[in-house]
C-alpha cells in the first residue's frame, strides 16, 4: 500500500466537453484506464448556468463556484487512487447532476509532490495498461412518466472493435425478482429501465454487467452497477394515531410538557421530502386564551405556553395538529392532521367549605350509633377524588369522645354519630367545633378557608332509665343452717333519673332453692328456709339468686342484680362407711377388707375418722377386729380362726373430727366364703356364702336339667308333627267329602220318561268343526270359549289339612274369575222335563187353570216347598 501526502492542491473542473458533458441525473458514457481517468459526463448547458453549485461526498475535498476541485487540508491517502463523487445542483430548478472522479496518486519522486490531475483522454507518451470498467452510480427518479423503456447508461468494452461482444446484466431487478425492471441491449450495451420506480418499495439496486464473446468466453471482468432511486415527494406524513390523549395539571406553569405527537413520512428522510414539521391549527375552546399550547415543530412535543389552566372552568381541550413535509413548506409540502385531546387534571386548589356556619341536632340519652346531625360541605374539585373527599374532625367540645363524624361516600356529608352513650343527668347539651379538610393536601399556595370550620349544637333528651344495683354481683358470707326469717342483707337499687320522682319496687327473678325473700319496698333479704351448703343448688359453696328492681316511670324500666351467698360449712353431716358390701375368706390371715368413710362436710369437719366396733352384740367384737391404717382408712378382718361361710352384717361406728364431732353406725355386709390357694372365693363357696346348703344346690341343678329335657322333647315333637302335616293328606269320610261331589238322593224321579232328552248337549264335543263353521258372532253361551285364553292363577290341588276354609275360598275365587271353567257363565235351558211324574212340576203348577188344586202336600217336603205352597195357596184364595 502506498501512503502519499496530499497538500492543498486544486484541480479545475471545467465545463468542457472532455471534462463534464452535462446530462441530468445520469452518466452517458464512461470508461477508465488503470493509470489515468477519462470521464465523459454530459451536463445540459452547464457552462452557461452560472448559478450551479458543487459539492463532494468527502470532507477532505471541496469544489469552488468556478468548478475547481481542491483539497481542504493535508491528508494521507492510503492507496494509489481515490474516488470522489461530485454533485452539481441548480437551486432554482432543483436539478441535480453527479459524476464520479478518480484521483490517481503518483509517487513524490514522479510528481514533485502535490499535483493531482484529472485526465479527459489518453495521454500521449504513457505506456498502455489493461483497461478496467468503472461505472459511476446511476440515479433514477421515481414515478417517472416515461416513455419506457428509458435508457440509463451505455456499457462498452475497448475490445468491441476487435471482436463481437455480447453484454448482459444480473441481479435483483434483472434476472432476480422483481424481474425485468432493467434490461440491456446485448449488442450496443445500452441499459434501460422498463417501468416507473418507487423508492418506498425499493430505494436502490445492485446489478453486475458482463461482457463475453460470441463463444461465451469472458472478455472483461464483471463490473458493479449501483442504481439509486431518486425520491420524489409522493407521500403525505402519516400520524401514528389519529387521536392522541394527554393530560396536564390545572394551574401548570408555561412550558409544562403535555404530550408528543408523531407523524412518519415514507419519503426520504434525508431530503426535504421526508422532513416533517408540526404546527397547531386550532384549539377548542379558546379559553382563557386561544393559544394555551404550542408544539415543537420538529419533535412534536406539545407544551403549555400560557398560564390560566383551570379544571373547574375548562376540563378538556381539543387541539388539531398538522404535520407537513418539505420542512413545513405549506406551498410545496404535503400535509395531514390528527387530534390531540388534552384533559386538564384536577389538583386540590379548592378547600372544602361548610354550607352554613352552625348546625344543630338532638339525641336521647343512653343511645349509641345514632346520627345526630348531617354536615353539608361544598367542594369545587373533581367529585369522588381525594381532592374532593371530605374528612371531618371535632376540634373542641367533646373531651370524653361521645361523638365521631363519618363521611358519607356518596354525598360527602359529615354524619355526626354517637359512639359513647350520653347521660342527661351529666350533660344536657354539647357545643362542638368541627373542621373539614380533604384526603389530599391542598395545592401549593392554597390556604384553608374560614368556612372550613363550623359549630354543632347537640341537645340531650331525658328518657326513663332503669334502676341499677351499685354492687352487682353482691357477695355475702354466713354459716349454713341459719334459721328461717333471718335477715341476710339489704340489696337496694339506685334510680339514675334524679329529676324524676319515681318509686322502685323489688321482686325475685331467680331463686333456684326458694330459700330467700325480698322486701318489695326496701330490698331487705331474709331467709325463707334453712340454707344447706351440701344442697345440689350450691356450686363451690356459693348460692346465687337474681332480683329485679323496677320503677314506675312511663314506660317502666327495670334492672337486675345478682346476690351471691357464700355458705360457711358447719359439722351437720355424719360420716358414712364405705364400702357397703365386701367378701372375705372363711379363714383369717388370707385377706382383709379395706374400709373408709365419706362425709358431705368439708375440712375441718371431715377426717381423720375413727373406726370402731360396737360392744353390742358381743359376737361382733368376738368375730371381727379393726386395724387403723391412717386418718381415712382402716382394715376389717376376722378375729377367730374359722367362720362358717355366709353373709354377715357387721356394724361399725365411724366418727368425724368436727366440733362437736358426729358419728354414725353403718352396717357392712360381709360375705364369708371358702377360698382357693390364691385367696379368691370358689364358685360353690360363693353360692354357699349366699345362704344355700349343699342339698339345696343339688336340688336346683336337678330341676334345671329336668326343665331342659322337657323343652328338648317338646321341640322334637313339634318338628315331627309339622313333618306329618306336610306328608299326610286330609282324612275325610268320602260320604262327608263336599269337594266337587254329586249328592245322591233316594228319589229317582219319573222313570225312563225323565231321560227323554239329549245328554250330549251337556258334554264337551269331540271336534270343534261345528263351532268353527258357525257364522261369526253367533255361538252358544254354554260352550267352552275358543281361542287364546287368559292366564289365571292355578288353583291348588292338595290343600293343607288345616287350611280347608282358605282352600275353598281360593277355589271359589278362581272359578268366579275364570270364564273358561264350567258352566261357562250360562244358564242351561232344558226344553223337556219328562212326563208321568206324580209329583208334577213347577211349570205344570204355573200353567194349571184349575182353581181347586191342593198344594198342601208341599208342606211335607220341607221349608222351601212350604214357602212355595203358601205362595200358590194364597193366590188361590185370592
Amino acid at each position: 500500500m502506498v501512503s502519499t501526502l496530499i497538500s492543498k492542491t486544486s484541480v479545475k473542473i471545467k465545463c468542457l466537453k472532455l471534462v463534464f458533458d452535462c446530462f441530468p441525473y445520469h452518466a452517458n458514457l464512461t470508461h477508465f484506464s488503470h493509470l489515468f481517468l477519462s470521464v465523459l459526463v454530459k451536463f445540459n448547458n452547464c457552462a452557461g448556468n452560472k448559478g450551479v453549485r458543487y459539492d463532494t461526498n468527502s470532507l477532505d475535498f471541496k469544489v469552488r463556484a468556478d468548478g475547481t476541485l481542491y483539497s481542504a487540508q493535508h491528508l494521507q491517502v492510503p492507496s494509489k487512487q481515490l474516488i470522489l463523487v461530485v454533485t452539481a445542483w441548480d437551486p432554482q430548478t432543483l436539478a441535480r447532476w453527479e459524476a464520479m472522479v478518480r484521483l490517481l496518486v503518483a509517487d513524490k519522486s514522479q510528481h514533485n509532490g502535490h499535483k493531482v490531475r484529472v485526465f479527459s483522454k489518453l495521454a500521449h507518451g504513457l505506456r498502455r495498461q489493461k483497461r478496467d470498467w468503472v461505472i459511476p452510480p446511476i440515479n433514477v427518479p421515481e414515478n417517472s412518466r416515461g416513455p419506457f423503456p428509458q435508457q440509463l447508461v451505455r456499457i462498452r468494452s475497448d475490445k468491441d472493435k476487435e471482436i463481437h461482444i455480447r453484454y448482459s446484466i444480473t441481479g435483483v431487478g434483472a434476472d432476480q425478482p422483481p424481474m425485468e425492471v432493467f434490461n440491456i441491449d446485448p449488442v450496443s450495451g445500452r441499459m434501460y429501465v422498463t417501468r416507473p420506480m418507487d423508492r418506498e418499495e425499493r430505494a436502490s439496486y445492485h446489478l453486475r454487467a458482463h461482457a463475453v464473446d460470441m463463444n461465451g468466453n469472458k472478455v472483461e471482468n464483471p463490473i458493479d452497477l449501483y442504481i439509486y432511486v431518486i425520491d420524489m415527494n409522493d407521500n403525505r406524513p402519516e400520524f401514528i394515531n389519529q387521536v392522541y390523549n394527554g393530560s396536564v395539571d390545572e394551574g401548570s406553569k408555561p412550558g409544562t410538557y403535555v404530550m408528543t405527537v408523531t407523524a412518519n413520512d415514507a419519503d426520504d428522510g434525508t431530503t426535504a421530502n421526508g422532513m416533517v414539521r408540526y404546527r397547531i391549527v386550532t384549539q377548542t375552546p379558546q379559553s382563557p386564551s386561544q393559544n394555551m399550547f404550542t408544539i415543537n415543530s420538529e419533535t412534536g412535543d406539545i407544551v403549555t405556553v400560557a398560564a390560566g389552566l383551570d379544571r373547574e372552568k375548562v376540563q378538556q381541550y381539543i387541539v388539531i395538529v398538522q404535520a407537513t413535509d418539505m420542512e413545513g413548506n405549506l406551498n410545496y409540502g404535503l400535509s395531514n392532521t390528527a387530534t390531540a385531546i388534552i384533559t386538564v387534571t384536577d389538583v386540590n386548589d379548592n378547600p372544602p367549605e361548610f354550607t352554613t356556619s352552625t348546625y344543630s341536632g338532638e339525641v336521647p340519652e343512653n343511645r349509641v350509633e345514632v346520627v345526630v346531625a348531617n354536615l353539608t360541605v361544598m367542594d369545587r374539585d373533581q367529585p369522588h377524588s381525594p381532592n374532593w373527599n371530605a374528612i371531618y374532625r371535632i376540634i373542641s367540645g367533646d373531651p370524653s369522645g361521645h361523638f365521631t363524624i363519618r363521611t358519607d361516600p356518596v354525598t360527602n356529608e359529615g354524619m355526626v354519630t354517637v359512639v359513647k352513650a350520653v347521660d342527661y343527668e351529666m350533660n344536657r347539651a354539647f357545643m362542638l367545633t368541627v373542621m373539614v379538610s380533604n384526603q389530599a393536601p391542598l395545592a401549593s399556595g392554597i390556604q384553608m378557608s374560614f368556612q372550613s370550620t363550623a359549630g354543632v349544637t347537640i341537645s340531650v333528651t331525658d328518657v326513663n332509665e332503669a334502676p341499677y344495683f351499685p354492687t352487682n354481683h353482691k357477695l355475702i358470707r354466713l354459716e349454713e343452717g341459719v334459721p328461717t326469717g333471718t335477715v341476710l342483707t339489704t340489696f337496694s337499687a339506685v334510680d339514675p333519673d334524679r329529676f324524676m320522682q319515681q318509686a322502685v319496687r323489688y321482686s325475685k327473678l331467680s331463686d333456684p332453692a326458694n330459700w330467700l325473700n325480698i322486701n318489695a319496698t326496701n330490698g331487705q333479704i331474709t331467709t325463707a328456709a334453712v340454707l344447706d351448703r351440701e344442697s345440689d343448688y350450691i356450686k363451690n359453696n356459693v348460692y346465687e339468686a337474681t332480683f329485679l328492681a323496677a320503677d314506675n316511670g312511663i314506660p317502666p324500666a327495670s334492672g337486675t342484680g345478682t346476690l351471691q351467698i357464700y355458705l360457711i360449712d358447719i359439722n351437720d353431716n355424719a360420716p358414712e362407711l364405705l364400702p357397703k358390701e365386701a367378701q372375705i375368706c372363711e379363714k383369717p390371715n388370707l385377706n382383709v377388707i379395706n374400709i373408709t368413710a365419706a362425709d358431705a362436710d368439708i375440712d375441718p369437719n371431715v377426717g381423720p375418722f375413727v373406726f370402731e366396733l360396737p360392744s353390742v352384740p358381743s359376737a361382733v367384737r368376738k368375730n371381727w377386729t379393726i386395724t387403723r391404717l391412717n386418718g381415712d382408712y382402716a382394715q376389717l378382718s376376722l378375729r377367730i380362726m374359722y367362720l362358717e361361710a355366709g353373709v354377715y352384717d357387721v356394724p361399725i361406728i365411724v366418727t368425724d373430727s368436727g366440733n362437736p364431732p358426729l358419728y354414725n353406725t353403718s352396717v357392712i355386709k360381709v360375705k364369708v366364703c371358702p377360698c382357693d390357694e390364691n385367696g379368691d372365693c370358689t364358685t360353690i363357696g360363693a353360692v354357699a356364702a349366699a345362704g344355700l346348703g349343699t342339698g339345696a344346690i343339688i336340688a336346683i341343678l336337678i330341676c334345671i336339667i329336668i326343665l331342659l329335657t322337657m323343652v328338648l322333647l317338646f321341640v322334637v315333637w313339634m318338628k315331627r308333627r309339622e313333618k306329618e302335616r306336610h306328608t299326610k293328606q286330609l282324612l275325610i269320610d268320602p260320604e262327608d267329602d263336599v269337594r266337587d261331589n254329586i249328592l245322591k238322593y233316594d228319589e229317582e224321579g219319573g222313570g225312563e220318561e225323565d231321560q227323554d232328552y239329549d245328554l250330549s248337549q251337556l258334554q264337551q264335543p269331540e271336534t270343534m268343526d261345528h263351532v268353527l263353521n258357525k257364522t261369526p258372532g253367533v255361538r252358544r253361551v254354554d260352550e267352552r270359549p275358543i281361542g287364546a285364553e287368559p292366564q289365571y292363577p292355578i288353583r291348588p290341588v292338595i290343600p293343607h289339612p288345616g287350611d280347608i276354609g282358605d282352600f275353598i275360598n281360593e277355589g271359589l275365587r278362581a272359578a268366579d274369575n275364570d270364564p273358561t271353567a264350567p258352566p261357562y257363565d250360562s244358564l242351561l235351558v232344558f226344553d223337556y222335563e219328562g212326563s208321568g211324574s206324580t209329583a208334577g212340576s213347577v211349570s205344570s203348577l204355573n200353567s194349571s187353570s184349575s182353581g181347586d188344586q191342593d198344594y198342601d202336600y208341599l208342606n211335607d217336603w220341607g221349608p222351601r216347598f212350604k214357602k212355595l205352597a203358601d205362595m200358590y195357596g194364597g193366590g188361590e184364595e185370592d
Side-chain angles (χ1 to χ4, degrees), residues 130-427:
K130 181 179 180 181
R131 297 176 182 274
D132 286 336
W133 293 10
V134 178
I135 303 298
I138 303 170
N139 296 322
V140 180
E142 66 172 334
N143 303 325
S144 175
R145 297 183 179 180
F148 295 99
Q150 181 179 1
Q151 180 178 337
L152 297 180
V153 69
R154 181 182 180 186
I155 300 172
R156 189 174 67 85
S157 173
D158 291 344
K159 297 181 180 181
D160 61 353
K161 297 179 181 180
E162 301 174 3
I163 59 176
H164 294 287
I165 296 177
R166 291 291 182 267
Y167 300 96
S168 63
I169 55 176
T170 60
V172 176
D175 60 346
Q176 298 178 19
M179 307 285 287
E180 298 181 354
V181 176
F182 306 97
N183 59 26
I184 189 170
D185 188 326
V187 177
S188 64
R190 290 184 176 88
M191 191 175 74
Y192 300 93
V193 59
T194 63
R195 58 193 182 200
M197 308 295 290
D198 187 358
R199 192 201 68 84
E200 288 72 40
E201 179 179 347
R202 191 175 184 88
S204 64
Y205 295 86
H206 179 200
L207 304 177
R208 304 201 75 185
H210 306 271
V212 297
D213 59 14
M214 300 302 292
N215 296 324
N217 298 321
K218 181 175 68 173
V219 176
E220 300 281 359
N221 291 328
I223 62 172
D224 293 323
L225 299 176
Y226 293 95
I227 302 172
Y228 296 101
V229 182
I230 304 302
D231 182 51
M232 301 292 290
N233 190 19
D234 58 344
N235 291 279
R236 294 179 181 274
E238 295 292 339
F239 283 95
I240 297 177
N241 300 313
Q242 194 60 35
V243 177
Y244 290 84
N245 290 282
S247 61
V248 62
D249 290 341
E250 62 175 331
S252 297
K253 297 180 179 179
T256 302
Y257 171 80
V258 179
M259 67 169 70
T260 299
V261 297
T262 304
N264 296 324
D265 196 316
D267 293 325
D268 189 359
T270 61
T271 66
N273 298 334
M275 295 181 181
V276 180
R277 297 296 182 264
Y278 304 92
R279 74 186 188 95
I280 294 177
V281 179
T282 60
Q283 167 196 306
T284 305
Q286 298 180 357
S287 173
S289 171
Q290 61 180 358
N291 295 318
M292 295 297 296
F293 305 96
T294 186
I295 188 170
N296 187 305
S297 62
E298 295 184 1
T299 63
D301 295 340
I302 298 177
V303 297
T304 59
V305 71
L309 289 173
D310 190 351
R311 189 203 67 85
E312 287 72 38
K313 295 180 179 178
V314 179
Q315 298 183 3
Q316 190 178 81
Y317 290 90
I318 298 178
V319 177
I320 305 300
V321 179
Q322 185 183 59
T324 306
D325 56 16
M326 295 301 290
E327 296 181 299
N329 190 325
L330 298 177
N331 295 325
Y332 301 101
L334 302 177
S335 300
N336 213 336
T337 60
T339 301
I341 300 176
I342 302 174
T343 301
V344 181
T345 57
D346 183 49
V347 298
N348 195 11
D349 57 346
N350 294 282
E353 298 177 348
F354 286 104
T355 57
T356 182
S357 59
T358 58
Y359 298 87
S360 62
E362 187 178 79
V363 59
E365 64 175 335
N366 301 323
R367 295 281 299 277
V368 294
E369 297 301 325
V370 177
V371 177
V372 179
N374 289 333
L375 311 181
T376 56
V377 296
M378 180 183 64
D379 196 321
R380 291 186 297 275
D381 291 319
Q382 185 175 357
H384 305 289
S385 68
N387 300 328
W388 179 81
N389 295 335
I391 297 177
Y392 300 88
R393 291 185 298 115
I394 298 176
I395 300 175
S396 62
D398 185 24
S400 301
H402 291 282
F403 305 95
T404 187
I405 304 179
R406 298 167 182 167
T407 304
D408 188 316
V410 178
T411 63
N412 212 27
E413 294 180 354
M415 300 179 292
V416 182
T417 307
V418 182
V419 294
K420 182 179 179 182
V422 295
D423 189 356
Y424 175 82
E425 285 72 27
M426 298 294 295
N427 299 96

Side-chain angles (χ1 to χ4, degrees), residues 6 48 53 224 368 394 444 452 506 575 659 870:
I6 298 179
R53 298 181 183 180
D224 293 323
V368 294
I394 298 176
S444 177
S452 296
Y506 302 92
N659 185 19
D870 294 340

